[in-house]
Amino acid sequence: MKIFGFRGKMNIVGERLRKLREDTGYKQEQIAAQMQTHEVILGQKAISRIERGTRVVADYELLGFARLYGVRVEWLLTGKGEKKAGADSDWEIGE
């Protein structure tokens, strides 16, 4: 199956995810490890490809990133609206 991109990218969240990671001071390996502790299996290379927009992001991965960074899925997708997630975010970096 051919997956078509949007404006030359395979996802629309990669740039925001990279910015969030850089703002927290974490390396891609550390983000991958945090995601894996919550059963979202991603390696460093997958994180890199997501951030560059050369890999599709599954719905459960998107939810995992939103929970990890404590941001709303809607903000990850659009960059608009309220950025911070409410108190229902059940895990964040460092847990």
Side-chain angles (χ1 to χ4, degrees):
M1 170 171 68
K2 174 107 171 115
I3 298 177
F4 295 94
F6 177 76
R7 296 183 181 168
K9 303 276 185 174
M10 300 294 289
N11 69 63
I12 60 174
V13 300
E15 291 178 23
R16 280 185 282 282
L17 289 173
R18 179 187 50 77
K19 177 87 167 87
L20 285 168
R21 180 182 57 77
E22 289 174 349
D23 288 349
T24 61
Y26 284 88
K27 295 181 179 181
Q28 292 172 341
E29 297 87 357
Q30 293 169 301
I31 298 303
Q34 281 293 317
M35 294 288 276
Q36 290 176 19
T37 64
H38 294 283
E39 299 181 8
V40 179
I41 307 305
L42 292 171
Q44 178 274 325
K45 288 183 181 180
I47 301 288
S48 176
R49 291 179 60 216
I50 288 169
E51 289 181 358
R52 288 192 326 264
T54 60
R55 181 186 180 280
V56 172
V57 181
D59 52 0
Y60 67 92
E61 294 169 341
L62 184 64
L63 182 58
F65 281 119
R67 288 178 172 173
L68 179 70
Y69 289 114
V71 298
R72 301 172 74 78
V73 171
E74 177 184 6
W75 181 84
L76 278 176
L77 290 169
T78 66
K80 299 177 182 176
E82 185 70 28
K83 179 179 178 179
K84 280 303 235 180
D88 60 341
S89 180
D90 58 355
W91 53 278
E92 292 182 5
I93 294 174
E95 286 188 352

